[in-house]
Amino acid sequence: MLLLSEENPINHVTDVILVGSKSFPVITMHMVMLMISGLLTWWLLATAAKGIGTGPQSQGNDRYITQGRMARIVEAMIMYLRDEMITPVLGEKSSRKYLPVLLSIFFFILINNLLGLIPLTAIQELFGLEAITGGKTIIGGTATGNIAVTGAMAFFAFCLIQVHAFRDLGVKGWLQHHCGGLVPGPIFLFPVVLIIFIVEVMGDIIKPAALAIRLFANMVAGHTLMAVLLGFGAMAAENHLGTAGVGGITLVSGLFALAISFLELFVAFLQAFIFMFLTAVFISLLSHGEEHFEEESAHEMEESVHHPHGEHHPAHA
């Protein structure tokens, strides 16, 4: 417990420069964690895809059954996200197009968040590995607790949203959307159109930026709170409160830290979902909406078949 605590709780979320200087870092601990997370994401999805895919004919009917517990868990998560979250927002056509990238975003952020819950830096200190690496922890920390990392992911989301907008709406449609539909229009409305355009463009930038800040703030806040709770025992020992005092404070703070760790586990899934889902929502906001109208038309057609003109529903009688 004392090993996990430090004098400064911020040390649990700050990056460590491994190669280079503070003004020009070449390799940092968070970069290493990003590489590990990327490899784990690729391995997880590739393994799950192999287990979900149809097997050889020699397996009989069992070839249609997903093989492996991990593949079944991933399949259940993907099915829920696709059917309950992404498809209702983007529609059938766009969801098929953007499902791979949205799921990659979700699992990449999730794995980064989960790796941050593992006390890798404390494990290296416990086994004395820092002596081999020159007093530096090579792996550890939460890469998504770095604003540079979340900012880069938000920039990718921004580019994805804008590319979709230009492909779906075209340049003219994009301008009309960002000008409130007032282009082309009377010249005397130009000041109003300019204000609307500036506000809309700022909104395009602020929305992904909010995703970056939300993910960064939640990861930093949760890990800092856990570090503070774990530091109470060390503070009690430094103030010579006795064995009973140090033991009691360490036990209580440890129980609270354990509870917070379960909350952090939930937040790890929640923040990955929020980043992915809001990216899908922002994509849908810059769509022409034909799929939505097609769904409404199909629904109205179905209603007209069941309740043709001239018939009154009993509820309206």
Side-chain angles (χ1 to χ4, degrees):
M1 186 70 70
L2 295 178
L3 182 62
L4 296 175
S5 63
E6 292 187 20
E7 184 178 352
N8 187 359
I10 301 299
N11 291 337
H12 285 268
V13 293
T14 53
D15 201 0
V16 177
I17 299 174
L18 302 178
V19 178
S21 60
K22 189 174 182 180
S23 59
F24 188 72
V26 179
I27 300 177
T28 67
M29 184 173 64
H30 286 171
M31 292 180 185
V32 175
M33 293 301 293
L34 284 174
M35 294 177 62
I36 294 174
S37 300
L39 291 174
L40 285 176
T41 303
W42 173 82
W43 172 80
L44 174 67
L45 296 180
T47 304
K50 184 178 179 181
I52 294 171
T54 304
Q57 294 183 356
S58 59
Q59 294 181 352
N61 293 332
D62 291 341
R63 66 193 182 117
Y64 299 108
I65 301 176
T66 302
Q67 305 296 323
R69 295 181 181 178
M70 184 183 66
R72 292 169 186 169
I73 293 173
V74 173
E75 182 185 27
M77 296 172 66
I78 291 175
M79 294 291 289
Y80 175 79
L81 293 174
R82 185 195 68 181
D83 297 339
E84 302 296 332
M85 297 298 166
I86 298 176
T87 301
V89 171
L90 292 178
E92 192 69 32
K93 182 179 178 181
S94 294
S95 65
R96 288 197 301 269
K97 183 188 300 183
Y98 293 106
L99 185 65
V101 65
L102 291 173
L103 290 177
S104 298
I105 290 173
F106 171 78
F107 283 104
F108 180 69
I109 295 177
L110 177 61
I111 290 176
N112 270 287
N113 295 346
L114 293 178
L115 285 177
L117 296 176
I118 304 174
L120 296 175
T121 55
I123 293 174
Q124 293 171 81
E125 295 176 7
L126 180 63
F127 290 98
L129 299 179
E130 288 185 334
I132 304 175
T133 58
K136 295 181 179 180
T137 52
I138 298 178
I139 59 174
T142 309
T144 46
N146 190 325
I147 190 62
V149 173
T150 59
M153 297 178 65
F155 178 74
F156 171 78
F158 170 81
C159 294
L160 178 66
I161 295 166
Q162 297 305 315
V163 168
H164 164 78
F166 282 109
R167 291 181 61 183
D168 197 62
L169 301 176
V171 177
K172 182 180 179 181
W174 186 88
L175 285 173
Q176 287 180 340
H177 176 87
H178 285 75
C179 295
L182 299 177
V183 174
I187 190 64
F188 65 85
L189 288 178
F190 177 76
V192 177
V193 173
L194 181 60
I195 293 174
I196 294 175
F197 179 78
I198 294 174
V199 171
E200 289 289 339
V201 171
M202 290 179 61
D204 288 346
I205 299 173
I206 292 172
K207 289 172 184 175
L211 294 179
I213 295 172
R214 179 187 291 109
L215 179 59
F216 158 75
N218 277 276
M219 293 300 104
V220 170
H223 287 72
T224 303
L225 178 59
M226 289 181 62
V228 170
L229 289 172
L230 293 173
F232 285 154
M235 293 170 59
E238 291 175 359
N239 288 275
H240 309 288
L241 296 184
T243 304
V246 173
I249 292 175
T250 302
L251 178 61
V252 173
S253 62
L255 291 175
F256 273 100
L258 181 62
I260 293 297
S261 65
F262 283 105
L263 179 61
E264 280 293 289
L265 181 62
F266 169 74
V267 171
F269 281 87
L270 179 63
Q271 292 304 315
F273 166 76
I274 289 176
F275 198 105
M276 179 275 299
F277 179 70
L278 289 183
T279 301
V281 170
F282 297 152
I283 291 174
S284 69
L285 292 178
L286 290 175
S287 301
H288 53 64
E290 284 186 4
E291 292 182 357
H292 176 67
F293 294 133
E294 289 174 1
E295 291 176 0
E296 286 189 347
S297 300
H299 180 70
E300 291 176 358
M301 185 178 296
E302 183 181 357
E303 288 293 328
S304 65
V305 171
H306 290 291
H307 306 289
H309 295 294
E311 284 189 29
H312 296 284
H313 196 276
H316 301 286

